[in-house]
Amino acid sequence: MSSQFRAIVVDEYSGEDGAADAAGPRRRGMLRTLDEDFFSADGDDARPLPRPATGVSIEVGYSSINYKDGLAVAGRPGIVRRLPLIAGIDVVGTVSASGDPRWAPGDTVVLNGAGLGESRHGGLSEHTVVDGTSLLRLPSAISQRRAAALGTAGFTAMLAMMALERQGIGPRSGEILVTGAAGGVGSVAVMLLARAGYSVTAASGRAATEGDYLRALGATTVIDRAELLEPGKPLQSTRWAGAVDSLGGTSLATVLAQISYGGSVASCGLAAGAELPSTVLPFILRGVNLLGVNSVDAPVALREAAWLRLAAEAQLALLDELSTEIGLSAVPETAEAILAGTVRGRTIVNVRA
Ligand SMILES: NC(=O)c1ccc[n+]([C@@H]2O[C@H](COP(=O)([O-])OP(=O)(O)OC[C@H]3O[C@@H](n4cnc5c(N)ncnc54)[C@H](OP(=O)(O)O)[C@@H]3O)[C@@H](O)[C@H]2O)c1
């Protein structure tokens, strides 16, 4: 008889506990108790999932809540592509068994994206099975808990900083703008950029309440995001050498219009919208670069480089300041909160709490 474990499983549920519901079944993530046989079923997708015999079995220490996890657990469309599925795009833990020769019991590992919580079982579980291909050994300088505090958000923030650097941007280039600054990607981006010596302006819808928090992370200036949300001219007075943008939409169009000659914007997210109501003018008249950041499909070499830099450059005490810890049972309510934009910084999930 296999041992049981708890997990947040996204599926179509009726009523609070699976009881009949007049409104019909609704997709969402619920805390369930599973056994190992769960990993033997493929759900409603023909593509095979990693199995305990061939994949890497992980005793999970921590996961986290990212915006995408909020969407998945709240049952919003477009994230989870097979049912039932264990949610969680981040996993940090210890290998318990491996059918992949690259990994052995006792290895401490981290994995962000790579289909977790979307098309493959994820990390919001006491136990999971993943494909070993994109798995990373956790650098010894980072604890499992702090690796989850960084999570996809921190990994993405580092990828964004590295993307700006590849365009020649450095601390002496000028002011760097971070949008969605009080959120996960934004908070870590402010912390990393400030630590690296950049002068950072944080744009937030919560500038009044989170200004002290953002300055503690290293922002030199905090502005209200409303400044960026008004549609404006395609070329405006230049304010920024570069930017890390989590918002998209009109805000990203405004940022592009305010970037200095030859500057760059790392586009990470769409918290304000997927559209980009801009023109080519910033690109052809100011040589502005719009840089795409995709953490999900990042190749292993880039993952390793980013995590080594996170281990060396993240300010661990500040990381603790920007993180809140919850247990698995609090995941559904936190999913709603992150979609409502009321979560500050990062939420770590201690899957055994
Ligand atoms: N490209 C990738 O690989 C990648 C990886 C991770 C995340 N993402 C994306 O990046 C974005 C941020 O993710 P996250 O995990 O950091 O989410 P998060 O913690 O919820 O942060 C998003 C922040 O954006 C701001 N915001 C939220 N709703 C808004 C709205 N309607 N209009 C304007 N600003 C709004 C809020 O910041 P303030 O309160 O400070 O204004 C919020 O804290 C999401 O779109 C996510 O899907 C992409």
Side-chain angles (χ1 to χ4, degrees), residues 157-183:
M158 178 54 83
L159 291 179
M161 190 166 95
M162 291 166 73
L164 294 178
E165 290 171 350
R166 279 197 297 276
Q167 296 303 317
I169 292 182
R172 286 192 289 190
S173 300
E175 194 72 15
I176 305 295
L177 175 70
V178 175
T179 64

Side-chain angles (χ1 to χ4, degrees), residues 77-94:
I79 305 296
V80 174
R81 297 200 285 275
R82 67 196 308 155
L83 297 175
L85 194 82
I86 297 175
I89 67 173
D90 289 328
V91 64
V92 187
T94 307

Side-chain angles (χ1 to χ4, degrees), residues 140-222:
S140 58
I142 302 190
S143 67
Q144 290 196 24
R145 187 177 186 280
R146 283 169 168 162
L150 289 164
T152 286
F155 175 48
T156 303
M158 178 54 83
L159 291 179
M161 190 166 95
M162 291 166 73
L164 294 178
E165 290 171 350
R166 279 197 297 276
Q167 296 303 317
I169 292 182
R172 286 192 289 190
S173 300
E175 194 72 15
I176 305 295
L177 175 70
V178 175
T179 64
V185 174
S187 292
V188 184
V190 169
M191 178 187 75
L192 292 173
L193 287 160
R195 169 69 190 268
Y198 291 86
S199 180
V200 181
T201 293
S204 176
R206 295 175 278 174
T209 54
E210 302 297 355
D212 289 346
Y213 162 77
L214 292 165
R215 277 183 282 271
L217 295 183
T220 46
T221 309
V222 179

Side-chain angles (χ1 to χ4, degrees), residues 13 36 62 65 119 137 140 144 148 150 155 157 166 193 223 246 288 299 346:
Y13 295 103
E36 194 79 3
Y62 295 90
I65 304 289
S119 55
R137 211 169 296 282
S140 58
Q144 290 196 24
L150 289 164
F155 175 48
R166 279 197 297 276
L193 287 160
I223 64 171
S246 287
V288 169
R346 296 279 298 139

Side-chain angles (χ1 to χ4, degrees), residues 67 156 180-185 204-206 225 247 268-272 293 295 338:
Y67 193 80
T156 303
V185 174
S204 176
R206 295 175 278 174
R225 76 176 179 216
L247 304 188
C268 305
L270 72 176
V293 175
S295 62
I338 200 166

